Amino acid sequence: MPPAGSIAWQGRCAAAFISLRCLSEAANYGAAGSARSINRIFDDSPQAALVWQPDVYYEAKRVALSAVSARVIDFGCGNGCKLGALFGDGAVELVAVDFKLSLAAARQNLAHATCIECDLGDWQAMIDLVERLADPRPTTIILADVIEHLPDPLIILAAVRSLLAMHPDSRLVLSTPDREMMPIGAGDRDALPQNEAHVREWTLSGLCELLTSMGFSIDNFGRTRSNQLAEDLQTSIVVAAFDKDAFEKRLFELGIVSGLATQHLFVTGEYADVAKSGGIGTYVAAQHARDEHSLVLCYNSGAQPTALPKGVVALASLSTADELSSLPLEELLFETARRLLLLLPSIETVELQDYGGDALRICQAKRAGLYPTRCKTVVHCHGNTHYVENAMQSWSVTPDPFVSVREKISIELADSVIFPTVYLREFYAKMGLNLLGRAIIQPPAYSGQPAPSVSASAIDTIVFLGKRTRMKGFDLFVDAFTPEFSDQLKSRGIKRVVIIAPAATHSQRLQPGRNLELIDYEAFGHREVTDFVRENAGRALFVEPYRADNFPLAVYDVVMNGGDLVAARAGGIPEIFQTARWQECLFDVSLQDMQNSILFMLDRGSEERDEIRQTLIDAHDAVAKRYGEYRRWSVPECASSKVPTATILVPFFNTDLAYIDDLFFGINQQTQRPAEVIIVDDASERSLAEQLQCLAESKLQVPFRILRHPVNQGLAGARNTALAACNTEILINIDSDDVPLSNFVRNISRAFALNPKLAVAVPYLRSFDEGHSFQQASSGCTAVYRAVGDGLIACLRVNLLGHANSGVRVETARRAGGWEASTRAKFEDWAFYLKLIGRGERILTVPSVDCLYRVRRLSMVRTYSNWDGERRLAFAPDGLPRFEALELQRHMRMRLSTDRFHIRVAVGVAERLAAFVRGNPLARGLWQRVRPLYRRLSQR
């Protein structure tokens, strides 16, 4: 160990705000230059001539002595020589943590240390490690020459912050190369780090910004030597602590008033009196009001962030400008929720709405193991697209054929699914949604205080409360006011009819007769509604003739604020109050029965109406006491403790060996090595096959077999050959001209471990152009293919089931007969997935870019006939006669042509709207929805 060198300190670093740029992968986590797609695994062997970051360990020794640290934890310890040289006297407890490769040497060099093998880039592994290392004693943590090697630096920083929070005297000593001092310089924005083991590199100022954004308080920062022979100070060094109060202040400035105590995150498109709001917005606002440890992420908020209620944050305020302009809404929600989980480690539930399916990526991420296991995803079912269609009694017209599929995926992948009524649960089950015992019935509770008891008087007002739609029975209410019925009302003392409903065009207009006054309120918010009910309690009868509604909170708004109510006996309304008196307030969905119910309530005495109202309030109070119980109920265990073994399949046919070299490099850098690589040579040229053998023997660091076809059988045939020869549970395909990223095998294998019945796991795929380096595919304008993973009918015309570079369960694929190989037409994987989901098998999208797709001008997808491929798709699903299968494909293709035309028109409208109304959330939301959809439809 060389003697201590000099460090040029620059002093404390004041943190004023949390930089979203530093928390965004798209912005390279605030690092300068470009990020490398795949970094070479660094082997810090004990025989290395250079000693990297030597002065950092001397500084760690000084910090440990000044803080009287009881232990030292070295993350990314390497061979352990530096740690052992300075801390080997046994004065403090030593913990050395690293990947398996580096830790083998550390075990030999650190006889008195606790050596822990851990994937430093695995979120759940780091959480488990923090729990294992939890200790209230002062601790010095060393993070020297580590974060530049990690694709995601936030995971390890969040873990270190949790350890520092256990004692105020604990400190972090961190170092990493300073890009500004490197020969390449920080000015070259597109350049990769010169060191192939580095993913990215920060400047000193960028590093400090990253650390303060993650909650660290910087005691001192500066520069030091990179190794014992260096003369220049090219390495950044930081000494940091965690100041809870300072970080809470930064969170408060973002609108997160519950700070680090936040336990529940609500992700919603509606919030009462803030965003567009019906029952969903009222429901979420009530949840939030009852829970001081909750945070609301509202993604359709038109209000300025400063105008939002406490604890409600707008999506735009937690996203970078680039993310807002380039990512679809579901991706924005996924990235923002991930960011919040890293900042707020106490979050226990992420609670989502089913309508629109905007939260599907969050549910997919949790099911794929990309979110911590401690965090439960909860989907609150208010009514999906088909529920609305059923209530409106008409099919919805939407340019997005996948909205109902997204809703289905969100519901089926959530840890818990909350239904307010048995009616809605049974409705979803009849639709074919698989709830797998995760459905919980919990009626919502009213958020406000019941109105003081008001003695009923003579009723002189009839009020419609709802929307001017068939779902809310507005047509039924309008039709009720015949001349005869109006006369009957007048004879009972009714003087006016009031409509409280948002303005909308409706073919029917209420004409209550010459003797009844009509008052129409079109712009009432939730607060105005409840104020109106209270002001008119005792003299107004509210009518809610809702058809097939789930759990309309407007019922609570009337009853809990002292109003008298009659409502339709439909949907979930009969379940709202569990008392016989409630049944007396209900009528069948017919004109005559509604008229009779209104007249019957008008004829009741005031004392009887008072009694009914109080009975309903008492019934609600019994429900309210059970609020939030779903968070304590256990979720059925679905995960396997065993990670399945995996084989990588590479189909090969005359592929440029330079591409194969890239492929082998990606396989060698996997964080989880496959058991074997099977290369299927589909009758390539003999000289090329021999070169392939030599290249594999010299470059591939994983056991491999090369299986050769005597005659070309096409991609489907190559995949089937590997399927028959595979000796592991999972077969993972990677095409010969593509490149797997480091977590490709790990993330696919984990998805199968967490979902034992899963048939296919498909990660995101990023494209890069032929002739360009795959190492810079993460930079610039590269397209990302994000599969949805379900939707048999919708995916007959647009493939959002998945791409070829995915994992399949071997047993399931064999049972299905493998890939259909009787034709050489393209779309063999698309057809294979259609066959699987047609048999009831499941595909899971892993929302992580884990492989790179090389876009080649002469690739199969660009040169083979679309017609033959589409005929292949027609016959993929089982169960249809061949003629009818062709007819279905014909109709879907005709519909696709029509959709493309309409989407082009919508794109044009959205572009013009965005240009004229810059910054308008409505314009931005329309643009985010329409542009990705057009891109999807244009793919085929």
Side-chain angles (χ1 to χ4, degrees):
M1 188 76 184
S6 62
I7 299 177
W9 294 109
Q10 297 185 24
R12 293 182 63 86
C13 177
F17 61 94
I18 292 175
S19 169
L20 297 175
R21 182 175 64 91
C22 289
L23 304 179
S24 165
E25 181 186 12
N28 205 19
Y29 299 110
S34 294
R36 178 174 272 104
S37 294
I38 307 174
N39 61 311
R40 192 178 295 276
I41 296 176
F42 181 69
D43 182 10
D44 188 11
S45 65
Q47 290 76 30
L50 290 178
V51 179
W52 297 100
Q53 320 266 356
D55 307 319
V56 175
Y57 280 78
Y58 280 103
E59 178 61 21
K61 179 82 169 184
R62 186 196 65 77
V63 169
L65 290 174
S66 63
V68 195
S69 293
R71 64 175 178 169
V72 173
I73 303 174
D74 189 358
F75 284 103
C77 64
N79 58 40
C81 290
K82 292 171 284 189
L83 186 65
L86 289 180
F87 296 95
D89 56 6
V92 296
E93 177 187 344
L94 294 184
V95 180
V97 182
D98 212 328
F99 293 93
K100 182 177 182 179
L101 182 65
S102 294
L103 200 63
R107 294 185 192 277
Q108 296 179 353
N109 297 324
L110 296 171
H112 301 293
T114 300
C115 293
I116 301 175
E117 178 186 333
C118 184
D119 182 346
L120 303 181
D122 186 306
W123 197 350
Q124 186 56 49
M126 292 303 292
I127 289 174
D128 294 341
L129 181 62
V130 168
E131 292 179 355
R132 177 178 175 179
L133 297 178
D135 194 316
R137 298 176 297 168
T139 298
T140 296
I141 297 174
I142 303 173
L143 200 60
D145 198 12
V146 173
I147 64 169
E148 66 270 19
H149 298 272
L150 301 176
D152 182 357
L154 302 187
I155 291 174
I156 194 167
L157 292 178
V160 169
R161 188 190 61 197
S162 295
L163 291 170
L164 293 184
M166 297 176 188
H167 196 284
D169 291 334
S170 293
R171 289 295 183 270
L172 164 68
V173 181
L174 179 148
S175 63
T176 187
D178 185 343
R179 182 179 173 85
E180 195 169 20
M181 306 304 292
M182 295 290 106
I184 198 168
D188 190 346
R189 290 178 170 271
D190 297 327
L192 295 169
Q194 286 184 315
N195 190 328
E196 292 185 353
H198 294 180
V199 178
R200 62 180 63 82
E201 292 171 346
W202 289 262
T203 64
L204 179 55
S205 60
L207 176 65
C208 291
E209 189 178 19
L210 170 65
L211 292 175
T212 55
S213 295
M214 281 298 292
F216 295 92
S217 297
I218 296 178
D219 293 345
N220 216 342
F221 71 103
R223 294 188 177 95
T224 185
R225 301 180 297 173
S226 58
N227 62 72
Q228 86 274 26
L229 302 180
E231 296 181 359
D232 297 331
L233 305 183
Q234 295 183 341
T235 294
S236 299
I237 181 170
V238 175
V239 177
F242 177 65
D243 185 333
K244 180 177 180 294
D245 293 336
F247 189 48
E248 293 271 14
K249 181 179 179 181
R250 280 174 255 163
L251 292 172
F252 188 87
E253 291 167 353
L254 279 179
I256 306 173
V257 297
S258 52
L260 290 168
T262 304
Q263 296 178 352
H264 310 292
L265 173 63
F266 301 126
V267 181
T268 180
E270 302 183 24
Y271 192 89
D273 299 323
V274 171
K276 65 170 187 175
S277 180
I280 296 176
T282 303
Y283 179 79
V284 175
Q287 279 187 303
H288 181 46
R290 285 174 171 269
D291 194 334
E292 63 179 349
H293 300 300
S294 64
L295 171 68
V296 176
L297 174 63
C298 188
Y299 54 88
N300 281 334
S301 170
Q304 294 297 319
T306 54
L308 295 174
K310 289 183 178 180
V312 179
V313 294
L315 178 64
S317 68
L318 295 178
S319 306
T320 65
D322 287 344
E323 288 173 326
L324 290 170
S325 63
S326 63
L327 290 180
L329 176 59
E330 58 265 28
E331 303 302 324
L332 272 172
L333 295 177
F334 163 53
E335 292 294 339
T336 305
R338 178 182 181 278
R339 197 169 292 158
L340 289 170
L341 287 171
L342 284 162
L343 288 174
L344 309 172
S346 295
I347 291 179
E348 299 172 355
T349 63
V350 180
E351 309 195 20
L352 318 149
Q353 66 184 54
D354 64 331
Y355 183 70
D358 297 320
L360 88 156
R361 299 303 186 196
I362 294 175
C363 294
Q364 286 173 334
K366 174 60 194 309
R367 189 53 68 94
L370 300 182
Y371 279 174
T373 56
R374 68 161 191 270
C375 182
K376 183 164 65 173
T377 54
V378 180
V379 168
H380 294 270
C381 294
H382 304 279
N384 59 9
T385 296
H386 187 51
Y387 156 82
V388 175
E389 290 172 337
N390 181 64
M392 298 289 284
Q393 299 180 1
S394 65
W395 302 103
S396 60
V397 179
T398 172
D400 186 350
F402 287 93
V403 61
S404 57
V405 179
R406 290 198 303 267
E407 293 169 338
K408 175 178 182 286
I409 293 172
S410 301
I411 293 165
E412 292 187 336
L413 294 186
D415 292 325
S416 295
V417 185
I418 311 302
F419 290 94
T421 60
V422 174
Y423 158 77
L424 192 65
R425 183 191 65 187
E426 293 181 349
F427 183 84
Y428 277 26
K430 289 176 182 176
M431 286 170 52
L433 298 183
N434 191 344
L435 302 176
L436 295 173
R438 293 169 293 108
I440 298 168
I441 305 296
Q442 179 165 307
Y446 185 67
S447 59
Q449 294 295 322
S453 179
V454 177
S455 297
S457 56
I459 295 176
D460 61 8
T461 304
I462 301 292
V463 183
F464 172 85
L465 177 60
K467 296 178 182 177
R468 302 167 202 259
T469 63
R470 284 185 60 82
M471 179 177 181
K472 298 300 183 181
F474 184 68
D475 58 314
L476 194 66
F477 185 79
V478 169
D479 290 342
F481 284 86
T482 62
E484 294 79 11
F485 184 63
S486 296
D487 289 342
Q488 289 177 301
L489 294 177
K490 181 68 175 179
S491 68
R492 287 170 169 79
I494 300 301
K495 299 178 180 178
R496 66 190 64 81
V497 177
V498 175
I499 296 175
I500 303 176
T505 57
H506 197 280
S507 58
Q508 291 178 291
R509 292 287 182 267
L510 181 60
Q511 297 177 345
R514 293 175 300 174
N515 298 322
L516 295 178
E517 178 187 5
L518 175 62
I519 303 173
D520 200 331
Y521 297 108
E522 297 182 342
F524 268 13
H526 183 253
R527 192 170 303 162
E528 288 87 354
V529 169
T530 55
D531 288 345
F532 179 90
V533 175
R534 292 193 177 213
E535 291 168 4
N536 291 274
R539 56 179 295 223
L541 176 62
F542 293 82
V543 182
E544 297 181 359
Y546 303 166
R547 290 185 174 95
D549 213 332
N550 170 34
F551 197 108
L553 294 176
V555 171
Y556 278 167
D557 289 333
V558 173
V559 173
M560 303 305 290
N561 286 287
D564 295 311
L565 174 71
V566 291
R569 187 181 289 105
I573 288 179
E575 301 177 49
I576 293 180
F577 299 107
Q578 297 296 315
T579 171
R581 303 290 333 232
W582 174 232
Q583 302 304 313
E584 299 175 21
C585 304
L586 305 181
F587 56 83
D588 293 334
V589 185
S590 71
L591 188 66
Q592 183 174 0
D593 205 45
M594 183 181 73
Q595 291 172 332
N596 291 338
S597 182
I598 292 173
L599 296 176
F600 184 69
M601 186 62 74
L602 294 177
D603 291 338
R604 289 177 183 266
S606 60
E607 291 185 0
E608 187 177 7
R609 285 190 280 123
D610 286 343
E611 182 184 336
I612 292 175
R613 216 167 34 241
Q614 189 56 52
T615 301
L616 299 183
I617 291 173
D618 292 342
H620 164 269
D621 290 344
V623 170
K625 291 178 181 178
R626 304 203 326 262
Y627 169 80
E629 285 187 358
Y630 64 86
R631 292 174 178 157
R632 296 191 296 273
W633 292 335
S634 61
V635 181
E637 183 63 42
C638 65
S640 169
S641 58
K642 178 183 172 228
V643 176
T645 54
T647 294
I648 287 182
L649 152 67
V650 180
F652 176 84
F653 178 68
N654 293 335
T655 307
D656 188 329
L657 291 182
Y659 299 160
I660 299 296
D661 197 23
D662 291 343
L663 168 62
F664 287 172
F665 176 79
I667 292 175
N668 290 339
Q669 311 310 315
Q670 292 298 303
T671 54
Q672 178 181 318
R673 292 288 181 92
E676 184 183 28
V677 175
I678 296 178
I679 304 171
V680 180
D681 180 0
D682 196 19
S684 298
E685 297 175 5
R686 179 172 296 276
S687 61
L688 198 59
E690 293 172 353
Q691 294 175 54
L692 172 66
Q693 180 75 38
C694 293
L695 185 64
E697 291 174 353
S698 63
K699 292 291 186 72
L700 199 53
Q701 299 170 8
V702 177
F704 71 92
R705 282 185 284 165
I706 298 180
L707 308 179
R708 291 187 171 88
H709 287 165
V711 295
N712 184 272
Q713 297 181 26
L715 274 173
R719 301 204 209 292
N720 286 337
T721 295
L723 179 65
C726 183
N727 296 320
T728 59
E729 300 166 77
I730 307 301
L731 182 64
I732 302 177
N733 180 79
I734 183 77
D735 281 348
S736 59
D737 53 354
D738 295 339
V739 186
L741 300 186
S742 299
N743 293 326
F744 181 62
V745 174
R746 185 195 74 183
N747 286 348
I748 289 177
S749 299
R750 181 162 52 190
F752 283 103
L754 295 174
N755 303 274
K757 295 183 180 180
L758 186 65
V760 179
V762 184
Y764 286 177
L765 177 149
R766 189 189 301 278
S767 65
F768 69 102
D769 290 334
E770 184 178 23
H772 291 72
S773 169
F774 73 86
Q775 286 289 18
Q776 291 188 303
S778 60
S779 307
C781 299
T782 54
V784 176
Y785 176 94
R786 303 176 176 96
V788 171
D790 205 345
L792 174 63
I793 299 302
C795 287
L796 281 172
R797 57 192 177 123
V798 180
N799 180 21
L800 286 183
L801 289 177
H803 51 84
N805 298 332
S806 58
V808 299
R809 192 177 298 278
V810 170
E811 179 185 357
T812 303
R814 287 173 177 168
R815 190 168 58 243
W819 288 260
E820 205 282 307
S822 64
T823 173
R824 305 291 181 83
K826 63 181 179 180
F827 302 153
E828 74 287 339
D829 295 288
W830 184 355
F832 177 61
Y833 299 147
L834 286 171
K835 177 168 67 172
L836 287 179
I837 63 173
R839 291 167 167 246
E841 304 291 353
R842 301 299 300 268
I843 300 172
L844 176 64
T845 297
V846 180
S848 171
V849 175
D850 287 331
C851 55
L852 302 176
Y853 171 75
R854 195 185 308 265
V855 179
R856 295 193 295 119
R857 183 174 57 87
L858 297 179
S859 66
M860 178 179 175
V861 73
R862 285 165 179 77
T863 56
Y864 278 42
S865 163
N866 275 354
W867 173 254
D868 292 336
E870 289 164 6
R871 283 171 54 84
R872 177 179 213 156
L873 297 176
F875 302 131
D878 294 335
L880 278 178
R882 292 182 69 83
F883 178 82
E884 298 302 333
L886 277 172
E887 285 294 290
L888 179 58
Q889 183 70 200
R890 173 184 293 114
H891 285 291
M892 298 304 290
R893 291 288 154 185
M894 291 168 59
R895 169 73 185 275
L896 177 59
S897 298
T898 304
D899 281 352
R900 281 175 173 159
F901 171 77
H902 290 306
I903 293 298
R904 286 192 188 98
V905 173
V907 167
V909 171
E911 286 176 332
R912 290 173 175 79
L913 182 61
F916 282 108
V917 195
R918 294 191 182 278
N920 185 294
L922 176 62
R924 186 169 59 244
L926 178 59
W927 178 242
Q928 288 172 350
R929 282 287 192 204
V930 171
R931 186 175 60 175
L933 178 60
Y934 175 64
R935 194 181 297 130
R936 292 171 191 167
L937 293 177
S938 300
Q939 290 174 352
R940 303 296 179 190

